[in-house]
């Protein structure tokens, strides 16, 4: 048994001086290369004993079939170093960035982008492409280098030189809304991994739903690279547990185990057995002992991962900043440019003969995946064509999901209400909407974080998406709000026709917040169904009663914060939410636990304007008083309005379910509803009054925490009543 | 080998009809009871084979020494049923609550509160008490029943009848700020577990720091009960990983494995091997197969847990709603009252002869821990006395921590600055403050989520709190923001003199948010050190640039949101934060990545008022224009003020580091600074303008997301400049 790995824990990167041998087969080439490397690294070998799950390239042969056959060992090694040096050079030039990860992960990333992945750089929208997510998003120069080298037009040679500059295509973390070919936006650690679980879920779902014995329309892998940071984050644990539970066998995740984080060596805070943890989640785990040079081991690990029905974690031990003689294996190389001197030293150490941003011609040729990608896509197109002819109805559904074109008349499924209709909680109206939309829209999928019977989020016509029933559309997320929200975002970004919703109590949106923000930033049009939206929760008390949450989402860019008042408004809110999803804008819906009546003046169309008149003086007419309310308190505003009108006051009651949409209507509309010269403008909302000063002179709400008691008692004790609104209005008139 | 366990997974709770045998020893009594139970449950036995880590009461004897010796088996069984029925009755009466957990967990909870825990119900502040955290906070009637039965004056018999009512001592989830003897506030799942890790950290720290070979001042356990929900939450995984890493051997957690959550059976979303996961974290794991009746197995598991140096997870298989013939083992019993009929059926099934809220006299006697607790505390007092005499200096430090009395002159350690002092980022000023306070305050402890060199949070005079160096005071949280914040809250609530800080980038406060809110609610005076507080982050881009965060925390009740502008303001902010911590109010500090000058008009005293004049017309003087700014943009407001003043305008520049404190000053002070009749009020802040309408007529800020580019470019492109402020002011004059 010849050992060809090097310890990835050597304090200094091995000084490699490879003997070049051209035109050898991949395996021979890699072997030759490894042997050469071994020859120059005798003193640094420190090969630990084999452990369960370890993959080394001299394992008894696993069949390796990758598309790099025909590429010389030289070209491979130069390709890997090209990835490294493009990252080094770009980061030096911008004087900002994270070279450590690209340098360490270049070999696994090379194998992924050049060999393992089926992708067409010239058509990043190909539905059956393999997905890749760099969860350790700070290492984005790795991905930009790869994309440039494999032929993505979105990352030109100039773009690499423009790294992290204003208006560039190569921002400081991967941003799907900037760079074509980036699947999701990463950077907040753990987030990308969860997105990847969502992407893999979609593949499993679509494959089960659409593939036929004679036509495999959907069949691809989802790959991700995560680091120590991603694995420390709890959210990745949540998603990993779900991926294991769901049996997402085509999810293959590389864990870049470089043992360095910003605080230094992971020994100081991260000594758990990560692979054993993934074993416990039901994953297939492997360990590539030397991720710095053992390319064949990486290939074999991917092969083994594909053969196993479980999701796969491939721990790859690497040196952060591999190749840098003085900074490798230290946190100095994590988040700062190498600098001129160390770059020069690294160049010598890796025997790199090329200049700044220079890409050897052989590498350009060897790395370009355009032809391979076009061929793969063309083959798939044939399958698609045959499928379209043979299964036109299924294909129409599939197309709705992959193109995002919603079926005609989908919004007609949402009912209207009159005051004669029985009042129910808006979460019950929400259930009606979800069930209607589930029937009308092929890509409508979602679920709750273990609160389905409280959030009212089950689509009754469908079963559960589970390991053995993946064609179903109700997702059971368990009590994992953060993971849920990020998985839901992954689903939303998989294909434009997936309308992905997820649900919990509004208070626990706090757990999801980071993922909700990334949705707003990255154009994941997820619908966040948040019920139990105020002190109306009652007995569960202040730990369960949102106060500042409406304000906090109104302040969040890109997020529609909707708080509908009754049946019509809930339906209007869902119409906006689905349109928003199609337009890459997420919506947060705040829905009540408690019953509300269907009010006389509410309309779906009104909701679309964000605010509108529901009672009293029409827009533009002179008024003594404007009363504003949202959600469950709109009823109180209406009662207050009636009382004041009975006293001869000219009153306008304005419903304000969505401030963002209202602001988009422009000043004239705003003035017609809430004239700034009207001294008597009063708002009511069972929540923090923070932000209302923009519209109201006096605001009735609750700026402290809630309390545990029956809801009507709390409303009374906190003075959130129609009478209080009347009194406030009178004090201003 | 006689088997005496019952399958906890039987679809219906076993119908128990115990033969009473009084005055037997504990073990004999329990055995007799189990045998009797077995006799009536032949058909339902389904004893799985032994697995690693399982604890059953007929294991080869582990020594069991608990304080219940002398309590009859009858009294034990009646005590356990008292716990169950008090919960059932209180929840029925309030028509709201969660009976399932109290019914299932009553046996383990009995063993904990009555036998295992050292606590004095008559002095809940005894520093060396064992801590208990009900992480599954919805089951709070379990704890209220236990507290009443063991003798806590804070939970009277009437309080039980007043469960979940307005102003009661028994709110819907455990609230430390309402009910004396509750350690922390739980309900948001996973949170309590993390708090418990913080409590256990404190014990380990204090023991290492203060115990002497001849005086053990600190020596107690931290217990917790968590459920499936807590274990699904990622935050508990974060804290568990840290607890394993830190070797918190005196943390003993019961995992109530009842396999039921709100969505139904956990099979639908939670099939991982939880114990194996904890093994991977480095915990000691055990399994009590029958937590419904096998009390001795619970006792033995605690004994074994105490003997193991690792933190312990004791998985206890129970039936949710144990005893309810029709609802046990279903989610129907999770969160709804049993109701009259099912209560009656349960009464019969458990052979419970007592009336509603009735507590048998024997149970009252058997359960009261007052005498035992007083005795334990008296013994400890002797140790304390001797310690105080022999080690007066150590004792003074210890007392500062346990009483919360800060050393005289602590605030003098915070320096002042003049414009001549070199400008540095406020995160650097923060480092100065943290190091000064670490030296001045014995209970000052904290750390960062793997960003110590960026957050600048290391106290240079101390080492790291680690498994083998637990007396040190820098905490390395790893990339685990949510777990960190909740652990930090646990530290803050362990003793009033712990001033607990934690740190990350401001953007990642989104990950911590739920814990930060619970801190504000529950009086955990944690200091959240949030650096990189705006688009000033620069190249890392919009995933790393806070926008809405200031507004979102200004809207949060009970939280001081501070954004200091320079050295003086940072010191002033820390003074407020430490005083806030002592007064049970948490503070969030937003600190800059980028350099700021020390401004001429800033003072620590000004910061204490929340807003104050730093330049131009004094408070109360007539003005043409009020310019407001915070943090790094205060400098821009000062420059704009100078420009306008140079044109002959009467300008007041107001620094507004803390809106909450400003609001507390009252209307007169507010009007003296920002007169509402002044038409020219302009604010500048590199953040969302949301909320500024309360003070400003025009606001310069950024309501969209940030961008990846050098920071000065972003400021310029977004128009956050002194010139823009001048233009805005002129447009209003």
């Amino acid at each position: 048994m010849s050992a060809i790995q090097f310890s990835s824990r050597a304090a200094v990167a091995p000084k490699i001086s490879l003997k070049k041998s051209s035109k050898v087969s991949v395996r021979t080439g890699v072997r030759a290369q490894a042997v050469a490397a071994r020859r120059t690294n005798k003193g640094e070998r420190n090969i630990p004993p084999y452990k369960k799950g370890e993959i080394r390239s001299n394992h008894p042969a696993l069949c390796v079939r990758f598309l790099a056959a025909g590429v010389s060992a030289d070209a491979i090694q130069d390709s890997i170093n090209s990835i490294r040096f493009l990252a080094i050079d770009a980061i030096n030039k911008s004087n900002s960035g994270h070279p450590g990860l690209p340098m360490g992960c270049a070999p696994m990333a090379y194998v992924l982008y050049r060999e393992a992945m089926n992708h067409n750089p010239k058509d990043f929208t190909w539905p059956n492409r393999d997905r890749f997510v760099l969860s350790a998003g700070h290492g984005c120069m790795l991905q930009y280098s790869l994309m440039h080298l494999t032929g993505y037009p979105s990352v030109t040679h100039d773009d690499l030189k423009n790294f992290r500059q204003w208006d560039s295509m190569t921002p400081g973390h991967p941003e799907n809304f900037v760079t074509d070919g980036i699947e999701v936006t990463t950077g907040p650690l753990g987030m990308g991994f969860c997105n990847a679980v969502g992407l893999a879920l979609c593949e499993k779902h679509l494959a089960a739903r659409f593939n036929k014995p004679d036509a495999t329309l959907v069949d691809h892998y989802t790959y991700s690279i995560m680091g120590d940071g991603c694995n420390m984050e709890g959210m990745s644990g949540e998603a990993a547990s779900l991926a294991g539970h769901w049996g997402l066998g085509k999810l293959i995740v590389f864990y870049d185990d470089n043992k360095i984080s910003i605080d230094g060596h992971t020994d100081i805070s991260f000594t758990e057995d990560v692979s054993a943890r993934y074993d416990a989640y039901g994953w297939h785990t492997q360990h590539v002992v030397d991720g710095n040079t053992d390319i064949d081991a990486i290939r074999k690990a991917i092969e083994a991962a594909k053969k196993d029905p479980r999701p796969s974690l491939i721990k790859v031990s690497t040196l952060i900043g591999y190749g840098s003689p003085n900074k490798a294996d230290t946190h100095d190389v994590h988040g700062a440019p190498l600098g001129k001197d160390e770059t020069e030293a690294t160049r010598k150490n890796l025997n790199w003969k090329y200049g700044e941003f220079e890409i050897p011609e052989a590498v350009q040729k060897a790395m370009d995946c355009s032809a391979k990608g076009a061929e793969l896509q063309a083959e798939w197109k044939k399958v698609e064509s045959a499928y379209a002819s043979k299964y036109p109805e299924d294909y129409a559904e599939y197309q709705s999901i992959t193109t995002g074109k919603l079926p005609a008349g989908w919004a007609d499924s949402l009912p209207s209400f009159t005051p004669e209709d029985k009042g129910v909680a808006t979460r019950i109206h929400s259930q009606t909407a979800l069930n209607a939309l589930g029937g009308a829209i092929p890509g409508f999928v979602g679920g709750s974080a273990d609160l389905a019977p409280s959030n009212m989020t089950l689509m009754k016509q469908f079963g559960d998406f589970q390991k053995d029933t993946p064609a179903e559309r109700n997702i059971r997320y368990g009590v994992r709000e953060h993971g849920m929200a990020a998985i839901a975002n992954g689903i939303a970004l998989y294909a434009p026709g997936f309308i992905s919703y997820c649900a919990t109590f509004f208070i626990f949106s706090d757990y999801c917040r980071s993922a909700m923000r990334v949705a707003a930033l990255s154009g994941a049009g997820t619908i966040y169904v948040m019920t139990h939206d105020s002190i109306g929760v009652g007995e569960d008390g202040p730990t369960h009663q949102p106060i500042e949450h409406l304000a906090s989402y109104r302040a969040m860019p890109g997020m529609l914060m909707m708080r509908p008042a009754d049946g019509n408004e809930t339906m209007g809110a869902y119409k906006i939410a689905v349109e928003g999803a199609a337009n890459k804008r997420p919506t947060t819906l705040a829905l009540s636990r408690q019953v509300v009546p269907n009010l006389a003046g509410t309309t779906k169309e009104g909701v679309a304007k964000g605010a509108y008149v529901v009672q009293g003086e029409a827009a533009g007419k002179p008024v003594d008083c404007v009363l504003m309310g949202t959600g469950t308190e709109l009823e109180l505003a209406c009662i207050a309005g009636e009382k004041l009108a009975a006293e001869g006051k000219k009153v306008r009651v304005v419903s304000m379910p969505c401030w963002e949409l209202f602001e988009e209507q422009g000043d004239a509309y705003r003035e017609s509803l809430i004239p700034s010269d009207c001294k008597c403008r009063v708002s009511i909302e069972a929540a923090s009054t923070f932000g209302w000063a923009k519209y109201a002179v006096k605001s009735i709400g609750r700026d402290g925490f809630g309390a545990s008691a029956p809801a009507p008692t709390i409303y009374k004790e906190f003075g959130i009543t129609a009478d209080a609104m009347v009194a406030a209005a009178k004090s201003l008139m």
Side-chain angles (χ1 to χ4, degrees), chain A:
Chain A
M1 192 168 83
S2 65
I4 58 163
Q5 304 76 23
F6 308 102
S7 163
S8 67
R9 308 297 332 132
V12 174
K15 295 181 166 52
I16 301 175
S17 157
L18 293 178
K19 288 207 172 174
K20 299 292 166 83
S21 61
S22 62
K23 287 285 171 197
V24 292
S25 81
V26 177
R27 298 189 63 197
T28 316
V30 171
R31 227 169 242 158
Q33 180 183 319
V35 169
R38 184 173 53 157
R39 214 174 284 146
T40 58
N41 281 282
K42 276 178 185 163
E44 300 186 79
R45 271 186 296 147
N46 174 20
I47 301 158
Y50 276 86
K51 286 182 196 159
K52 176 177 163 270
E54 272 189 16
I55 295 291
R56 305 185 185 195
S57 63
N58 54 349
H59 256 182
L62 281 162
C63 179
V64 179
R65 292 185 313 273
F66 283 99
L67 284 158
V71 177
S72 74
D74 284 1
I76 290 173
Q77 192 56 43
D78 281 357
S79 295
I80 290 169
N81 280 333
S82 283
I83 297 166
R84 290 189 176 118
F85 279 95
L86 286 176
I88 291 168
D89 294 342
I91 292 163
N92 279 340
K93 183 161 189 298
S94 74
N95 199 27
S96 172
H98 301 75
L101 185 145
M103 295 166 75
C105 289
M108 68 179 100
Y110 165 81
V111 173
L112 272 177
Y113 256 76
R114 177 60 189 86
E115 302 184 355
M117 274 167 57
N118 290 337
H119 60 129
N120 182 1
K122 298 298 182 281
D123 182 1
F124 70 95
T125 68
W126 174 28
N128 199 45
R129 69 192 179 276
D130 285 340
R131 265 65 171 180
F132 172 75
V133 175
L134 183 64
S135 188
H138 53 276
C140 57
M141 263 314 304
L142 176 76
Q143 196 168 5
Y144 299 145
S145 299
L146 286 162
M147 289 174 70
H148 176 66
L149 291 168
T150 55
Y152 282 77
S154 52
V155 184
T156 66
H157 202 239
D158 279 348
D159 290 325
L160 296 177
K161 293 179 179 170
N162 214 13
F163 179 54
R164 292 187 154 216
Q165 301 308 303
W166 181 258
D167 241 358
S168 84
M169 303 301 286
T170 46
H173 288 81
E175 295 175 356
N176 60 301
F177 56 99
V178 167
T179 317
D180 289 345
I182 301 279
E183 301 287 350
V184 298
T185 293
T186 60
L189 294 174
M191 198 71 72
F193 174 86
C194 298
N195 297 157
V197 170
L199 298 174
L201 177 152
C202 289
E203 196 274 346
K204 181 162 180 149
H205 172 71
L206 292 179
R209 196 162 148 193
F210 293 107
N211 287 350
K212 308 288 178 186
D214 63 348
T216 301
L217 196 58
V218 183
D219 178 18
H220 71 79
Y221 289 90
T222 301
Y223 296 98
S224 183
I225 294 179
M226 73 193 308
D228 288 305
C230 290
N231 263 323
M232 286 190 250
E233 292 287 2
M235 73 184 305
S236 64
E238 294 178 2
S241 179
L242 283 170
H245 172 75
W246 289 329
L248 301 180
K250 290 164 88 174
L251 173 63
I252 299 176
V253 178
F254 287 84
Y255 161 33
D256 174 32
D257 175 39
N258 67 28
K259 302 258 183 238
I260 295 292
S261 64
I262 291 175
D263 271 7
H265 197 281
T266 52
D267 277 359
I268 66 171
S269 63
F270 191 47
T271 50
E272 62 170 71
D273 183 339
V274 176
S275 295
R277 174 154 64 86
Y278 278 78
D279 286 336
Y281 294 136
W283 284 52
H284 170 234
T285 59
Q286 305 176 76
H287 182 195
V288 172
V289 180
D290 170 14
N292 301 314
T293 64
D294 197 345
I295 296 167
D296 233 17
I298 295 167
R299 291 171 171 141
K300 286 174 176 168
I302 295 173
E303 280 289 290
K306 289 184 174 181
K307 285 183 180 154
D308 196 282
R310 296 167 291 178
S312 275
L313 184 81
I314 304 172
K315 179 166 102 167
V316 186
S317 293
T318 69
L319 275 181
I320 190 169
Y322 178 86
S324 160
N326 304 303
K327 294 190 173 177
D329 204 28
T330 75
H331 79 279
D332 296 337
V333 79
H334 164 82
L338 273 196
K340 197 180 160 195
D341 292 350
E342 189 62 16
T343 300
E344 215 34 60
T346 306
R347 209 174 286 272
K348 276 194 190 131
N349 188 36
L350 291 178
N351 194 26
W352 187 244
K353 297 170 293 190
Y354 305 95
E356 205 184 13
F357 288 108
E358 188 180 345
I359 302 165
E361 212 179 297
V363 169
Q364 286 184 39
K365 202 178 149 196
M367 284 292 283
D368 194 321
C369 294
S370 304
K372 163 195 155 189
E375 198 180 310
L376 287 164
Q377 187 169 355
E379 278 171 32
W380 179 83
K381 279 265 179 198
K382 284 183 211 159
V383 176
E384 188 196 24
S385 255
Y387 189 99
S389 322
K390 198 162 175 192
Y391 307 104
E393 282 178 26
D394 287 316
Y395 184 67
E397 280 213 353
Y398 173 77
Q399 263 219 321
S400 169
I401 294 173
T402 53
T403 66
K405 193 160 177 282
L406 297 178
W410 65 269
D412 300 340
S413 65
L414 297 168
S416 296
F417 297 83
T418 70
E420 284 68 45
D421 292 313
K422 191 188 164 201
V424 295
T426 53
R427 63 179 167 138
I428 305 290
H429 288 304
S430 165
Q431 183 181 38
T432 302
L434 290 168
N435 276 270
L437 295 168
I441 300 173
F444 204 81
V445 297
S448 161
D450 192 48
L451 288 171
S454 294
N455 298 145
M456 310 306 295
T457 44
L458 272 192
M459 294 182 286
K460 292 173 183 169
Q461 65 269 52
F462 303 121
D464 287 355
F465 173 89
Q466 293 284 358
K467 187 188 281 187
D468 299 322
T469 54
E472 299 292 345
R473 284 157 64 182
N474 284 303
I475 304 175
R476 302 285 194 169
Y477 283 109
V479 191
R480 305 180 181 94
E481 297 84 5
H482 203 181
M484 168 181 75
I487 292 171
N489 293 348
I491 297 171
L493 290 172
Y494 179 91
F498 269 124
I499 311 287
S500 168
Y501 70 91
C502 63
T504 183
F505 289 155
F506 194 25
I507 192 82
F508 300 132
S509 68
D510 282 346
Y511 281 60
C512 313
R513 190 171 175 94
S514 185
M516 293 167 76
R517 184 179 208 266
V518 174
L521 171 65
S522 66
T526 311
I527 301 175
Y528 303 100
V529 180
M530 299 293 173
T531 72
H532 296 61
D533 71 348
S534 76
I535 50 168
V537 165
E539 289 86 348
D540 272 341
T543 55
H544 283 58
Q545 292 166 354
I547 294 287
E548 71 280 19
H549 299 72
L550 290 168
S552 80
Y553 292 106
R554 286 170 183 154
M556 184 182 278
M559 175 65 73
L560 290 180
M561 176 69 248
M562 315 258 333
R563 189 169 187 244
D566 65 359
N568 287 332
E569 288 204 353
T570 305
M571 298 308 145
Y574 267 100
K575 183 161 181 289
I576 293 291
V578 170
E579 288 166 358
N583 290 314
K584 301 181 182 298
R585 180 148 76 161
T587 299
T588 298
L589 294 160
L591 300 160
S592 76
R593 177 192 183 215
Q594 70 268 41
V595 172
V596 285
N598 286 296
L599 299 170
T602 57
T603 64
K604 289 183 224 171
E605 297 69 30
V607 172
K609 292 187 169 179
Y612 66 108
V613 182
V614 290
Q615 184 179 299
E617 305 299 315
K621 291 273 175 76
V623 285
D624 299 318
C625 174
V626 178
L627 303 181
M628 295 161 272
T630 77
T632 40
E633 288 71 65
L634 182 61
E635 183 196 4
L636 301 180
C638 288
I639 295 169
E642 280 167 15
K643 289 189 180 186
L644 289 165
E647 296 181 20
K649 304 296 181 192
K650 286 184 183 164
V651 184
R652 177 181 303 134
V653 180
V654 176
S655 177
M656 296 188 67
C658 182
W659 293 18
E660 297 80 10
L661 291 175
F662 181 46
E663 290 292 329
E664 287 172 15
Q665 308 304 311
D667 290 347
Y669 183 70
R670 181 178 150 175
E671 275 295 312
S672 77
L673 251 58
I674 312 171
S676 43
D677 60 1
C678 171
K679 299 287 178 216
C680 180
R681 291 174 273 125
V682 182
S683 69
I684 189 163
E685 190 170 66
S688 168
T689 61
F690 191 89
W692 274 104
K694 188 165 188 179
Y695 306 117
V697 180
K698 281 202 176 181
S699 293
I700 293 164
R702 172 67 186 170
D703 289 322
F705 286 104
S708 172
T713 307
I714 304 176
Y715 270 81
K716 199 178 144 225
E717 293 285 346
F718 288 166
I720 301 174
T721 62
D723 285 347
M725 195 170 210
V726 169
K730 285 184 176 175
S731 76
L732 295 171
M733 280 191 290

